[in-house]
Amino acid sequence: GKVVPAWYIQEVTVTHNGRTVLSADWGPAVSKSPYLQFMLKGAKVGDRIGVSWKDNRGATRTDEAGVLIA
């Protein structure tokens, strides 16, 4: 019977070497553990891919990884 406050990812941004290549606005209907998959043309070994998100409570996170296989 308790009300559970909403807590979900609102904004997702993917960058390739610092340039935004994907931007998405999500809402409360997205899964608790969302899976994101996309295709990126032109990436080379060593390029940097970054993923950032912001939730509806103002928390943010950014992770970055290098391309291993092109």
Side-chain angles (χ1 to χ4, degrees), residues 5-57:
W7 188 14
Y8 56 91
I9 295 172
Q10 284 186 309
E11 301 170 15
V12 178
T13 304
V14 178
T15 60
H16 172 232
N17 291 331
R19 190 180 117 249
T20 299
V21 293
L22 182 143
S23 180
D25 293 323
W26 288 356
V30 174
S31 162
K32 182 178 179 180
S33 300
Y35 177 83
L36 176 66
Q37 180 177 342
F38 59 95
M39 300 287 291
L40 176 65
K41 291 184 179 182
K44 297 178 179 82
V45 173
D47 285 0
R48 304 302 293 174
I49 304 296
V51 178
S52 300
W53 60 257
K54 178 181 175 185
D55 69 22
N56 67 312
R57 294 181 181 179

